[in-house]
């Protein structure tokens, strides 16, 4: 059963807890027996899986870090022989080395199911034409959506990312109803459409399933207006399964996390302490049904808050995570102040003369960190008088400074001068020496 599964998606809190505890126990036994990485850690910490009371005792188990996957590159963390691995994906981080993940055939089945559930949560149905513009390849976006679409019975166009003119042609000729890609790429596509004389608000698109990078409510509004669609947020990460970990419904009040497979916790990233409902912190996930690469208390690096209770829009009872504020490692500390790129995006999206394209450059001058924000302006303003541009620049500086509480430099730049991305947008360029 891949699409909306009322029995599990609207299960009572106690019903879900029962499933979680049973699966968690099975998973811990499995990891203890098959993954020396975990059995050694349990032995070191004198943890006996059989004595744990779950899920309460989960908090006593050690965390798994991204560096643990890298240190076990490529396959040493796998719980099954490589010959039982059906598919391999990998994501590249900032440090160069790939994070490699593997799936057994059953894992692919699970991925198809949670992705079908995810698409169904966005209102996608059989009969929809999904233009899948996430990259196919080692990145999990393309194939993840693909498997979900097949499972759901919708039609999928595996166009992958890039080739924007061709995307637009296919979108019109095939009458795509669903667009799946990064939010930044959807805006680039709309921009190209206008340039080619196509009105993006007049396509057959109904809904966009956008994720793989942080984006703000302001960005959502822009996308919805440009395309005249419903733009919903999809979350996931390769280490856990790829896309299909959590998804917004039309109510846009948090992303429903599929907690019967991915057990969420939110922790204080500095102390590791588990936080309560509503507190912002780092999302930690334990996969309780995976075979090739189950992970216990995996620190995602993503900042969210968790909400429980029934969704007033769709009635789903799974916990929800807030829209992702950003990654801990994307947090900039400028002269002692913590700043997320999303805070800057929120300010910019409220200034109509600013285009939704920006880049943050961090430099170190005379031992002081400085932040320069390149902001594209809309065409009409750019061709306007210099005085108007100067006024706009002052306005952007003052609004960002009053939000962030630090001084920044703002440089207004020509339309289309900031590099566009077909995948994850690069919002921050850190020029400080590490
Ligand atoms: O980005 C999987 C994915 C594909 C998700 C398509 C959604 C759609 P990775 O390349 O491993 O996997 O990157 C995972 O991307 O830890 C977050 O920091 C970020 N991320 C993913 N989705 C969102 C989102 C895919 N909706 C990392 N909002 C994660 C903010 C997101 N950040």
């Amino acid at each position: 059963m891949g699409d909306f599964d009322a029995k599990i998606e609207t299960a009572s809190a106690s019903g879900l807890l029962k499933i979680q505890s049973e699966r968690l126990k099975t998973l811990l036994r499995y990891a203890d027996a098959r993954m020396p990485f975990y059995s050694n850690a349990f032995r070191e910490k004198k943890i006996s899986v059989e004595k744990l009371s779950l899920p309460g005792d989960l908090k006593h188990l050690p965390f798994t870090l991204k560096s643990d996957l890298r240190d076990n590159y490529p396959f040493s963390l796998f719980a099954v022989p490589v010959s039982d691995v059906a598919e391999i994906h990998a994501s590249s981080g900032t440090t160069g080395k790939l994070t490699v993940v593997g799936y057994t055939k059953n894992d692919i089945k699970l991925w198809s199911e949670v992705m079908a559930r995810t698409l169904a949560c966005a209102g996608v149905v059989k009969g929809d034409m999904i233009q899948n513009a996430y990259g196919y390849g080692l990145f999990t976006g393309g194939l993840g959506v693909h498997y979900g679409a097949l499972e759901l019975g919708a039609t999928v166009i595996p166009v992958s990312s890039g080739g924007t003119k061709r995307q637009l042609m296919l979108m019109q000729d095939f009458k795509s109803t669903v667009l799946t890609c990064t939010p930044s790429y959807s805006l680039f596509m709309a921009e190209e459409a206008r340039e080619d004389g196509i009105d993006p608000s007049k396509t057959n698109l109904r809904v966009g399933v956008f994720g793989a990078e942080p984006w703000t409510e302001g960005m959502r509004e822009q996308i919805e207006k440009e395309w005249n669609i419903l733009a919903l947020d999809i979350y996931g990460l390769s280490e856990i399964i790829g896309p299909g970990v959590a998804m917004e419904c039309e109510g846009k009040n948090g992303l429903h996390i599929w907690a019967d497979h991915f057990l969420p916790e939110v922790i204080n990233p500095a102390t590791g302490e588990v936080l309560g409902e509503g507190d912002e912190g780092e999302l930690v996930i334990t996969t309780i049904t995976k075979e090739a690469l189950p992970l216990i208390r995996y620190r995602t690096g993503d900042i969210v808050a968790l909400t429980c209770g029934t969704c007033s829009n769709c009635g789903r009872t799974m916990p929800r995570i807030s829209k992702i504020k950003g990654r801990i490692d994307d947090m900039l500390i400028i002269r002692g102040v913590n700043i997320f790129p999303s805070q800057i995006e929120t300010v910019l999206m409220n200034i109509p003369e600013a285009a939704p394209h920006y880049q943050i450059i961090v430099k170190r001058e005379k031992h002081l960190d400085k932040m320069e924000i390149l902001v594209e302006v809309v065409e009409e303003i750019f061709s306007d008088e210099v005085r108007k541009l100067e006024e706009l620049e002052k306005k952007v500086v003052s609004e960002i400074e009053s939000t962030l509480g630090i001084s920044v430099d703002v440089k207004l730049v020509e339309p289309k001068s900031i590099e566009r991305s077909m995948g994850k947008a690069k919002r921050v360029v850190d020029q400080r020496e590490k």
Side-chain angles (χ1 to χ4, degrees):
M1 173 80 183
D3 50 354
F4 181 64
D5 186 345
K7 189 157 168 272
I8 184 71
E9 291 187 57
T10 60
S12 65
S14 60
L16 180 61
L17 197 67
K18 186 160 175 282
I19 294 174
Q20 288 172 328
S21 344
E22 280 165 9
R23 290 184 172 173
L24 188 54
K25 186 69 136 198
T26 310
L27 176 268
L28 293 180
R29 286 184 185 135
Y30 179 89
D32 200 17
R34 287 172 172 252
M35 303 173 84
F37 175 79
Y38 286 124
S39 52
N40 290 340
F42 294 162
R43 204 172 316 126
E44 230 168 74
K45 291 199 173 300
K46 301 201 174 19
I47 293 169
S48 159
V49 169
E50 296 311 320
K51 287 194 187 135
L52 295 177
S53 147
L54 296 167
D57 279 345
L58 183 61
K59 59 175 180 291
H60 301 305
L61 299 183
F63 293 116
T64 309
L65 309 176
K66 199 181 190 81
S67 57
D68 294 325
L69 274 94
R70 298 226 166 110
D71 293 346
N72 287 284
Y73 177 89
F75 307 140
S76 305
L77 220 55
F78 289 4
V80 298
V82 178
S83 56
D84 285 344
V85 171
E87 192 167 313
I88 293 167
H89 283 271
S91 61
S92 46
T94 36
T95 51
K97 229 189 185 185
L98 291 173
T99 304
V100 177
V101 297
Y103 305 70
T104 62
K105 266 191 164 176
N106 281 335
D107 292 334
I108 296 288
K109 208 163 150 255
L110 165 67
W111 197 10
S112 308
E113 283 177 13
V114 288
M115 261 314 299
R117 210 193 261 186
T118 297
L119 291 169
C121 185
V124 181
V125 291
K126 179 175 165 60
D128 267 316
M129 178 71 71
I130 305 178
Q131 178 149 352
N132 186 14
Y134 283 115
Y136 279 64
L138 287 177
F139 174 56
T140 51
L143 278 163
V145 170
H146 191 98
Y147 292 143
L150 294 184
E151 176 74 21
L152 188 64
T155 310
V156 60
I157 314 169
V159 55
S160 197
S161 58
T164 310
K165 288 198 189 308
R166 198 178 48 152
Q167 298 268 3
L168 293 165
M169 181 182 78
L170 297 185
M171 186 182 286
Q172 292 175 299
D173 295 348
F174 296 0
K175 301 196 169 24
S176 312
T177 53
V178 180
L179 177 62
T180 56
C181 63
T182 57
S184 54
Y185 188 43
S186 80
L187 275 177
F188 177 37
M189 248 190 238
E191 188 177 59
E192 288 274 300
R194 288 202 183 282
E195 225 156 73
D196 291 356
I198 303 164
D199 181 349
S201 69
K202 300 232 160 72
T203 69
N204 287 75
L205 287 186
R206 190 184 80 246
V207 57
V209 178
F210 302 125
E213 64 183 7
W215 54 309
T216 56
E217 287 299 338
M219 183 74 86
R220 183 194 327 253
E221 274 169 36
Q222 293 254 4
I223 297 173
E224 293 195 325
K225 198 169 87 213
E226 271 296 88
W227 287 105
N228 186 25
I229 57 171
L230 180 67
L232 297 176
D233 196 1
I234 174 172
Y235 171 77
L237 61 165
S238 318
E239 299 90 310
I240 297 304
I241 198 143
V245 174
M247 180 72 213
E248 274 181 333
C249 69
E250 219 174 303
K252 298 176 186 165
N253 52 3
L255 289 79
H256 302 270
I257 179 161
W258 309 131
D260 52 330
H261 298 289
F262 315 116
L263 199 64
E265 297 170 275
V266 173
I267 62 159
N268 173 333
T271 62
E273 172 209 359
V274 177
L275 301 176
E277 206 185 319
D279 293 336
E280 202 169 77
E282 179 178 358
L283 178 65
V284 168
I285 299 178
T286 301
T287 66
I288 47 180
T289 49
K290 266 173 68 182
E291 284 182 351
L293 184 60
L295 294 178
I296 298 169
R297 304 196 84 199
Y298 183 70
R299 291 184 65 154
T300 65
D302 295 316
I303 302 289
V304 301
L306 205 61
T307 316
C308 297
T310 309
C311 173
S312 56
N313 177 63
C314 67
R316 285 180 174 85
T317 52
M318 300 257 169
R320 277 165 284 152
I321 51 171
S322 58
K323 229 170 162 351
I324 290 84
K325 186 171 178 188
R327 290 190 59 76
I328 292 174
D329 28 16
D330 285 345
M331 186 180 79
L332 299 163
I333 306 179
I334 308 286
R335 301 193 291 280
V337 180
N338 298 348
I339 293 158
F340 281 100
S342 59
Q343 291 171 286
I344 294 169
E345 184 176 300
T346 300
V347 175
L348 294 177
M349 293 303 132
N350 281 324
I351 301 177
E353 302 92 332
H357 305 285
Y358 65 95
Q359 199 158 51
I360 302 161
I361 319 249
V362 189
K363 304 177 188 173
R364 185 163 292 153
E365 282 174 12
K366 295 191 188 128
H367 307 291
L368 262 191
D369 290 339
K370 288 191 71 177
M371 191 157 74
E372 181 181 57
I373 305 165
L374 307 183
V375 182
E376 268 185 32
V377 291
V378 294
E379 197 79 54
E380 307 85 77
I381 287 287
F382 199 74
S383 43
D384 225 320
E385 314 157 34
V386 176
R387 188 180 52 83
K388 282 214 174 139
L389 276 175
E390 282 172 357
E391 273 170 19
L392 175 61
E393 192 169 289
K394 274 196 198 131
K395 179 171 157 194
V396 177
V397 169
S398 109
E399 296 204 5
I400 294 181
E401 289 187 347
S402 71
T403 304
L404 301 184
I406 60 157
S407 60
V408 295
D409 290 332
V410 167
K411 197 160 144 198
L412 299 182
V413 296
E414 242 178 285
K416 303 203 81 178
S417 58
I418 291 173
E419 200 188 334
R420 300 293 188 257
S421 156
M422 320 281 167
K424 297 177 193 254
K426 188 165 174 50
R427 301 292 190 198
V428 179
V429 180
D430 197 338
Q431 297 177 342
R432 293 175 294 189
E433 278 170 29
K434 288 276 152 65

